[in-house]
Coordinates of all heavy atoms in Angstrom, one line a residue:
L4 N 0.8 -1.2 0.0 CA 0.1 0.0 0.0 C 0.9 1.3 0.0 O 0.5 2.3 -0.6 CB -0.9 -0.1 1.2 CG -2.0 -0.9 1.2 CD1 -2.7 -1.0 2.7 CD2 -3.1 -0.5 0.2
F5 N 1.9 1.2 0.8 CA 2.7 2.5 1.0 C 4.0 2.6 0.6 O 4.9 3.4 0.9 CB 2.6 2.9 2.5 CG 1.2 2.9 3.0 CD1 0.7 2.0 3.7 CD2 0.3 3.9 2.7 CE1 -0.6 2.0 4.3 CE2 -0.9 4.0 3.0 CZ -1.6 2.9 3.9
E6 N 4.6 1.3 0.0 CA 6.0 1.2 -0.4 C 7.0 1.3 0.6 O 8.1 1.7 0.4 CB 6.2 2.1 -1.6 CG 5.2 2.0 -2.8 CD 5.7 2.8 -3.9 OE1 6.6 3.8 -3.9 OE2 5.0 2.7 -5.0
H7 N 6.5 0.9 1.8 CA 7.5 0.7 3.0 C 6.8 -0.2 3.9 O 5.7 -0.4 3.8 CB 7.9 2.1 3.6 CG 6.7 2.9 4.2 ND1 6.2 2.5 5.6 CD2 6.1 3.9 3.8 CE1 5.1 3.4 5.8 NE2 5.2 4.2 4.7
D8 N 7.6 -0.7 4.9 CA 6.9 -1.7 5.9 C 6.9 -1.1 7.3 O 7.0 -1.9 8.3 CB 7.6 -3.1 5.8 CG 9.1 -3.0 6.2 OD1 9.6 -1.9 6.5 OD2 9.7 -4.1 6.2
Q9 N 7.0 0.2 7.5 CA 7.1 0.8 8.8 C 5.7 1.4 9.3 O 5.3 2.4 9.1 CB 8.1 2.0 8.8 CG 9.4 1.6 8.5 CD 10.3 2.7 8.3 OE1 10.1 3.8 8.0 NE2 11.7 2.4 8.4
T10 N 4.9 0.4 9.9 CA 3.6 0.7 10.4 C 3.6 1.9 11.3 O 2.6 2.5 11.5 CB 2.9 -0.5 10.9 OG1 3.7 -1.1 12.1 CG2 2.7 -1.6 9.8
S11 N 4.7 2.0 12.1 CA 4.7 3.0 13.1 C 4.7 4.5 12.6 O 4.4 5.4 13.4 CB 6.0 2.8 13.9 OG 7.2 3.0 13.1
I12 N 5.1 4.7 11.3 CA 5.0 6.0 10.7 C 3.7 6.4 10.0 O 3.5 7.4 9.5 CB 6.2 6.3 9.8 CG1 6.2 5.4 8.7 CG2 7.5 6.1 10.7 CD1 7.3 5.8 7.6
L13 N 2.8 5.4 10.0 CA 1.4 5.6 9.4 C 0.7 6.5 10.2 O 0.5 6.4 11.5 CB 0.9 4.3 9.1 CG 1.5 3.3 8.2 CD1 0.7 2.0 8.1 CD2 1.7 3.9 6.8
T14 N -0.3 7.2 9.5 CA -1.3 8.0 10.4 C -2.4 7.0 10.7 O -2.4 5.9 10.3 CB -2.0 9.0 9.4 OG1 -2.6 8.4 8.3 CG2 -1.0 10.0 8.8
D15 N -3.3 7.3 11.6 CA -4.4 6.5 12.1 C -5.1 6.0 10.9 O -5.6 4.9 10.9 CB -5.2 7.2 13.1 CG -4.6 7.4 14.5 OD1 -3.5 6.7 14.7 OD2 -5.0 8.2 15.3
A16 N -5.4 7.0 10.0 CA -6.2 6.7 8.8 C -5.6 5.7 7.9 O -6.3 4.7 7.5 CB -6.6 7.9 7.9
E17 N -4.2 5.8 7.7 CA -3.4 4.8 6.9 C -3.4 3.4 7.7 O -3.5 2.3 6.9 CB -2.1 5.3 6.7 CG -2.1 6.5 5.7 CD -0.8 7.2 5.6 OE1 0.1 7.1 6.8 OE2 -0.4 7.7 4.7
R18 N -3.4 3.4 8.9 CA -3.4 2.2 9.7 C -4.8 1.5 9.6 O -4.7 0.2 9.5 CB -3.1 2.5 11.2 CG -1.6 2.6 11.4 CD -1.3 2.6 12.9 NE 0.1 3.1 13.1 CZ 0.5 4.1 13.8 NH1 -0.5 4.9 14.5 NH2 1.7 4.5 14.0
S19 N -5.8 2.1 9.5 CA -7.1 1.6 9.5 C -7.3 1.1 8.1 O -7.8 0.0 7.9 CB -8.1 2.9 9.6 OG -9.4 2.3 9.5
M20 N -6.7 1.8 7.0 CA -6.7 1.2 5.6 C -5.9 -0.1 5.6 O -6.3 -1.0 4.9 CB -6.1 2.2 4.7 CG -6.1 1.9 3.2 SD -5.2 2.9 2.1 CE -5.8 4.5 2.5
L21 N -4.8 -0.1 6.3 CA -3.9 -1.2 6.3 C -4.7 -2.5 7.0 O -4.6 -3.6 6.4 CB -2.6 -1.0 7.0 CG -1.7 -2.1 7.3 CD1 -1.2 -2.8 6.0 CD2 -0.5 -1.6 8.2
A22 N -5.3 -2.1 8.0 CA -6.1 -3.2 8.7 C -7.1 -3.7 7.8 O -7.3 -5.1 7.7 CB -6.7 -2.6 10.0
A23 N -7.9 -2.9 7.1 CA -8.9 -3.3 6.1 C -8.3 -4.3 5.0 O -8.9 -5.3 4.6 CB -9.5 -2.1 5.5
H24 N -7.1 -4.0 4.5 CA -6.5 -4.7 3.5 C -5.9 -6.0 3.9 O -6.0 -7.0 3.3 CB -5.4 -3.9 2.8 CG -6.0 -3.0 1.8 ND1 -6.2 -3.2 0.5 CD2 -6.3 -1.5 2.0 CE1 -6.7 -2.2 -0.1 NE2 -6.8 -1.2 0.8
A25 N -5.3 -6.0 5.3 CA -4.5 -7.2 5.8 C -5.6 -8.2 6.5 O -5.2 -9.3 6.8 CB -3.5 -6.8 6.6
Q26 N -6.7 -7.7 6.9 CA -7.6 -8.4 7.8 C -7.8 -9.9 7.3 O -7.7 -10.8 8.0 CB -9.0 -7.7 7.9 CG -9.9 -8.5 8.8 CD -11.1 -7.7 9.1 OE1 -11.5 -6.8 8.2 NE2 -12.0 -8.1 10.0
R27 N -8.1 -10.1 6.1 CA -8.6 -11.3 5.5 C -7.4 -12.3 5.6 O -7.7 -13.4 6.1 CB -9.0 -11.2 4.1 CG -9.5 -12.5 3.5 CD -10.1 -12.2 2.0 NE -10.5 -13.4 1.5 CZ -11.7 -13.5 0.9 NH1 -12.3 -12.3 0.6 NH2 -12.3 -14.6 0.4
D28 N -6.2 -11.8 5.3 CA -5.1 -12.8 5.2 C -4.6 -13.1 6.7 O -4.2 -14.2 7.0 CB -3.8 -12.0 4.6 CG -4.0 -12.1 3.0 OD1 -4.8 -12.7 2.5 OD2 -3.3 -11.2 2.4
I29 N -4.7 -12.1 7.5 CA -4.4 -12.3 9.0 C -5.3 -13.3 9.7 O -4.9 -14.2 10.3 CB -4.2 -11.1 9.8 CG1 -3.0 -10.3 9.4 CG2 -4.2 -11.3 11.4 CD1 -2.8 -8.9 9.9
F30 N -6.6 -13.1 9.4 CA -7.6 -14.0 10.0 C -7.4 -15.5 9.5 O -7.5 -16.4 10.2 CB -9.0 -13.5 9.7 CG -9.5 -12.4 10.7 CD1 -10.8 -11.9 10.4 CD2 -8.8 -12.0 11.8 CE1 -11.1 -10.9 11.3 CE2 -9.3 -11.1 12.6 CZ -10.5 -10.6 12.3
A31 N -7.2 -15.6 8.2 CA -6.9 -16.9 7.6 C -5.8 -17.6 8.1 O -5.8 -18.7 8.6 CB -6.7 -16.8 6.0
E32 N -4.7 -16.9 8.5 CA -3.5 -17.4 9.0 C -3.8 -17.9 10.5 O -3.4 -18.9 11.0 CB -2.3 -16.5 8.8 CG -1.0 -17.0 9.5 CD -0.4 -18.2 8.8 OE1 -0.7 -18.4 7.6 OE2 0.4 -18.9 9.4
A33 N -4.4 -16.9 11.2 CA -4.7 -17.1 12.6 C -5.7 -18.3 12.8 O -5.5 -19.0 13.8 CB -5.2 -15.8 13.2
L34 N -6.6 -18.4 11.9 CA -7.5 -19.5 12.0 C -6.9 -20.9 11.8 O -7.2 -21.8 12.4 CB -8.8 -19.3 10.9 CG -9.7 -18.3 11.2 CD1 -10.6 -18.0 10.1 CD2 -10.6 -18.8 12.4
Q35 N -5.8 -20.9 10.9 CA -5.2 -22.1 10.7 C -4.3 -22.5 12.0 O -4.0 -23.8 12.2 CB -4.2 -22.1 9.6 CG -4.9 -22.0 8.2 CD -3.8 -21.8 7.1 OE1 -2.7 -21.6 7.3 NE2 -4.4 -22.0 6.0
Q36 N -4.1 -21.5 12.9 CA -3.2 -21.7 14.1 C -4.3 -21.8 15.3 O -3.7 -21.7 16.4 CB -2.2 -20.6 14.2 CG -1.3 -20.6 13.2 CD -0.2 -19.6 13.2 OE1 0.2 -19.3 14.4 NE2 0.2 -18.9 12.1
G37 N -5.5 -21.9 15.1 CA -6.3 -22.1 16.2 C -7.2 -20.8 16.8 O -7.9 -21.0 17.8
F38 N -7.1 -19.8 16.0 CA -7.8 -18.6 16.4 C -9.3 -18.8 16.3 O -9.8 -19.4 15.4 CB -7.3 -17.3 15.5 CG -8.3 -16.2 15.6 CD1 -8.3 -15.5 16.9 CD2 -9.1 -15.7 14.5 CE1 -9.1 -14.3 16.9 CE2 -9.8 -14.6 14.7 CZ -9.9 -13.8 15.9
E39 N -10.1 -18.4 17.2 CA -11.5 -18.5 17.3 C -12.1 -17.1 17.5 O -12.0 -16.6 18.6 CB -12.0 -19.5 18.4 CG -11.6 -20.9 18.2 CD -12.0 -21.8 19.3 OE1 -12.9 -21.5 20.1 OE2 -11.5 -22.9 19.4
P40 N -12.7 -16.5 16.5 CA -13.1 -15.1 16.5 C -14.3 -15.1 17.5 O -15.2 -16.0 17.7 CB -13.5 -14.8 15.0 CG -13.6 -16.1 14.4 CD -12.7 -17.1 15.1
D41 N -14.3 -13.8 18.1 CA -15.5 -13.5 19.0 C -16.7 -13.1 18.1 O -16.6 -13.2 16.9 CB -15.2 -12.1 19.9 CG -14.1 -12.5 20.7 OD1 -13.9 -13.7 21.2 OD2 -13.3 -11.5 21.1
Q42 N -17.8 -12.9 18.6 CA -19.0 -12.5 18.0 C -18.8 -11.2 17.2 O -19.2 -10.9 16.2 CB -20.1 -12.3 19.0 CG -20.6 -13.6 19.6 CD -21.5 -14.4 18.8 OE1 -22.1 -13.9 17.8 NE2 -21.6 -15.7 19.1
V43 N -18.0 -10.3 18.0 CA -17.7 -8.9 17.4 C -16.3 -9.0 16.8 O -15.4 -9.2 17.7 CB -17.9 -7.8 18.3 CG1 -17.5 -6.5 17.7 CG2 -19.2 -7.8 19.0

């Protein structure tokens, strides 16, 4: 998304965008390792 991997320098809006883009992949990986999502 931002051509660097330093999440610490992103704005809150950019981090929110990053979360939206990465959510599916992170959940997929976490589910394989036993993650059980909450209702929310």
Side-chain angles (χ1 to χ4, degrees):
L4 290 169
F5 306 108
E6 298 183 357
H7 63 77
D8 63 357
Q9 298 175 343
T10 59
S11 62
I12 65 171
L13 298 176
T14 65
D15 288 342
E17 290 170 333
R18 284 189 190 118
S19 181
M20 181 188 311
L21 173 59
H24 282 272
Q26 180 180 16
R27 185 179 188 136
D28 288 342
I29 289 173
F30 279 176
E32 182 66 25
L34 285 167
Q35 288 180 353
Q36 297 181 39
F38 171 64
E39 295 180 13
D41 294 334
Q42 296 278 339
V43 178

